[in-house]
Amino acid sequence: MAVKRIQSDMDVVTAAKIRIRNAFRNGVPVYMSFSGGKDSLTLAQLTLSLIQSGEIDPSLLTVQFVDEEAIFPCIEKTVMDWRRKFMYAGAKFEWYCVEVKHFNCFNELSEEETFICWDKRKRDVWVRQPPPFAIMSHPMLKPRKDNYQSFMPRVCMDGITMTGVRSAESVQRLQYMARLNLGGKGMTGRKQIFPIYDWTTNDVWLYLRNEGVEIPQIYLYLWQSGTNRNQLRVSQFFSIDTARTLVQMNEYYPDLMERVIRREPNAYLAALYWDSEMFGRRSRARRKAEGEEITKDYKALLTEMFSDMPRYFNTPNKLQVARTYRNLFIKIGLFATDKDYQRMYEALQKGDPKLRSYRALYQIIYSQYIEDAKAERRGVEAHG
């Protein structure tokens, strides 16, 4: 692969393998997060190839999958296949089906934004059944209170955590991960490395193709249904990233919506409003339905929302996200465009619990600001 890292002539595959080798050379346990998505498949293939070539010790490796219950069948199959591969290679594989909290974008009507995975009180309506070998409880877990981000670090305190998170969407995230890759600690206080942090989306797809890695069918289905290449993300059904695809995916999984609605009755909102601001849509059909001649003053709408936040953001999580956006709103007042305000407004409307839209928006705004400043400076220099 000829794609190069920033300030280096080393290709990204070689760089990632060096990072993985370095993690194992410490002689401490290495915990690898695995989700079955494209990025974790990339990290899994890199790690497995190093095990097979005898370059790292598989006895130090524990692969961890947090099963969020509401996942696509092909993701479950992919994880099952890789569990077999890693165990055959001599590594451990932990499959967690525990009661952790997850953000639920459908529960706004009841002002409750959480979904409890594998809720024992709703066993009769689980989206699917856990595998027989799944870990259903853990002494370090606070059931129904923890999310997996707070629970898993306690399990991995004696070693290094390795994940397939990438920084392509944010310069700030790039700098944060670069510091951690040099031995820093993250927000949880644990040792973390991100071997593919500097890979682009193209790098990921090219590597998976070159290595002949089988990808979950859901990516092909999303592509066939018109999803943009940069939005091919797969997560739990009640996350904002996946919720808007539920209606489209019902064509490929005929009983999907029935099972999802039985588990989460408010999921019918996806069928009614998937082509709206609720799910961040700006399609041609939506513009036609709303009337393309109608122009909203998004700056005024944001000003109104930020002036009375408890009215518009009725949960602690929403308030926290709104405060982050309000700070950005104040900072960009001198150079933001109408399009920037629209993106900000629609991100708040659909919900941005992980601040993914915020990070992307931040990068867009400040990149444009830097380019405009450079252009202005060149103009001044040209006219002496």
Side-chain angles (χ1 to χ4, degrees), residues 19-141:
R19 294 166 190 150
I20 296 171
R21 289 191 204 100
N22 288 341
F24 280 84
R25 283 173 183 161
N26 290 282
V28 300
V30 177
Y31 298 92
M32 191 187 87
S33 299
F34 186 72
S35 68
K38 64 182 187 303
D39 294 338
S40 79
L41 282 173
T42 298
L43 180 58
Q45 178 61 28
L46 287 164
T47 305
L48 186 62
S49 68
L50 291 173
I51 292 175
Q52 293 171 336
S53 63
E55 298 177 68
I56 59 176
D57 182 359
S59 68
L60 295 175
L61 177 64
T62 299
V63 183
Q64 297 174 319
F65 172 58
V66 180
D67 189 331
E68 296 172 307
E69 181 195 337
I71 62 176
F72 290 104
C74 59
I75 293 292
E76 181 180 14
K77 178 184 179 302
T78 296
V79 179
M80 198 74 72
D81 291 342
W82 278 89
R83 174 180 179 269
R84 190 178 304 111
K85 290 180 182 181
F86 276 114
M87 293 181 71
Y88 282 159
K92 294 179 285 295
F93 196 107
E94 297 176 344
W95 189 309
Y96 288 91
C97 293
V98 292
E99 289 184 294
V100 290
K101 291 196 305 184
H102 195 287
F103 176 77
N104 183 354
C105 68
F106 292 128
N107 272 349
E108 295 187 21
L109 295 179
S110 59
E111 298 187 8
E112 171 57 56
E113 295 178 291
T114 58
F115 167 80
I116 305 297
C117 300
W118 305 108
D119 190 338
K120 293 179 180 177
R121 302 172 188 175
K122 299 182 179 181
R123 189 184 297 268
D124 58 329
V125 291
W126 281 350
V127 176
R128 36 179 279 277
Q129 293 299 308
F133 49 77
I135 299 170
M136 301 294 293
S137 63
H138 196 281
M140 294 186 182
L141 173 71

Side-chain angles (χ1 to χ4, degrees), residues 77-345:
K77 178 184 179 302
T78 296
V79 179
M80 198 74 72
D81 291 342
W82 278 89
R83 174 180 179 269
R84 190 178 304 111
K85 290 180 182 181
F86 276 114
M87 293 181 71
Y88 282 159
K92 294 179 285 295
F93 196 107
E94 297 176 344
W95 189 309
Y96 288 91
C97 293
V98 292
E99 289 184 294
V100 290
K101 291 196 305 184
H102 195 287
F103 176 77
N104 183 354
C105 68
F106 292 128
N107 272 349
E108 295 187 21
L109 295 179
S110 59
E111 298 187 8
E112 171 57 56
E113 295 178 291
T114 58
F115 167 80
I116 305 297
C117 300
W118 305 108
D119 190 338
K120 293 179 180 177
R121 302 172 188 175
K122 299 182 179 181
R123 189 184 297 268
D124 58 329
V125 291
W126 281 350
V127 176
R128 36 179 279 277
Q129 293 299 308
F133 49 77
I135 299 170
M136 301 294 293
S137 63
H138 196 281
M140 294 186 182
L141 173 71
K142 299 175 183 176
R144 311 180 70 85
K145 294 181 180 179
D146 281 334
N147 54 29
Y148 72 84
Q149 293 94 335
S150 58
F151 162 57
M152 293 310 295
R154 299 186 203 122
V155 180
C156 311
M157 290 179 64
D158 61 336
I160 298 172
T161 302
M162 188 166 66
T163 70
V165 175
R166 295 183 296 116
S167 61
E169 63 183 3
S170 166
V171 167
Q172 292 72 34
R173 201 170 181 184
L174 174 64
Q175 295 169 339
Y176 172 70
M177 292 181 190
R179 179 175 64 82
L180 293 182
N181 275 327
L182 294 174
K185 289 187 178 181
M187 291 178 288
T188 60
R190 58 176 170 162
K191 292 284 186 178
Q192 304 175 81
I193 67 164
F194 306 93
I196 64 169
Y197 81 101
D198 51 356
W199 288 41
T200 67
T201 300
N202 286 341
D203 292 336
V204 168
W205 288 121
L206 181 57
Y207 178 74
L208 293 175
R209 188 197 69 175
N210 289 347
E211 293 293 311
V213 176
E214 183 178 355
I215 63 172
Q217 289 179 312
I218 182 62
Y219 285 112
L220 302 179
Y221 296 157
L222 288 170
W223 177 258
Q224 291 169 2
S225 66
T227 301
N228 185 282
R229 180 181 61 182
N230 294 325
Q231 295 178 331
L232 292 175
R233 294 194 184 111
V234 178
S235 60
Q236 189 250 25
F237 291 160
F238 309 134
S239 166
I240 195 66
D241 294 330
T242 303
R244 62 186 178 187
T245 70
L246 281 175
V247 176
Q248 297 164 298
M249 291 306 100
N250 201 45
E251 176 184 347
Y252 301 98
Y253 301 105
D255 65 336
L256 177 65
M257 280 302 291
E258 181 181 345
R259 286 186 288 122
V260 170
I261 292 175
R262 186 170 66 245
R263 178 68 166 90
E264 176 46 70
N266 285 337
Y268 75 93
L269 291 171
L272 294 177
Y273 302 115
W274 72 276
D275 195 14
S276 71
E277 287 178 349
M278 179 178 291
F279 297 109
R281 293 276 294 180
R282 290 198 296 268
S283 69
R284 183 180 302 173
R286 173 189 153 187
R287 293 196 300 270
K288 182 178 180 180
E290 294 181 353
E292 294 192 42
E293 73 283 355
I294 299 175
T295 302
K296 295 181 179 180
D297 186 342
Y298 289 101
K299 183 177 182 180
L301 289 170
L302 287 167
T303 301
E304 181 180 346
M305 292 167 70
F306 292 142
S307 65
D308 189 6
M309 290 203 295
R311 174 187 172 191
Y312 291 96
F313 308 103
N314 52 13
T315 68
N317 180 67
K318 287 182 183 177
L319 273 172
Q320 183 178 354
V321 172
R323 291 189 187 103
T324 302
Y325 272 85
R326 182 182 61 183
N327 292 339
L328 179 62
F329 178 77
I330 293 170
K331 291 178 181 178
I332 65 174
L334 295 177
F335 53 87
T337 66
D338 291 340
K339 196 69 174 178
D340 296 329
Y341 291 127
Q342 180 180 352
R343 291 191 181 104
M344 187 178 297
Y345 174 79

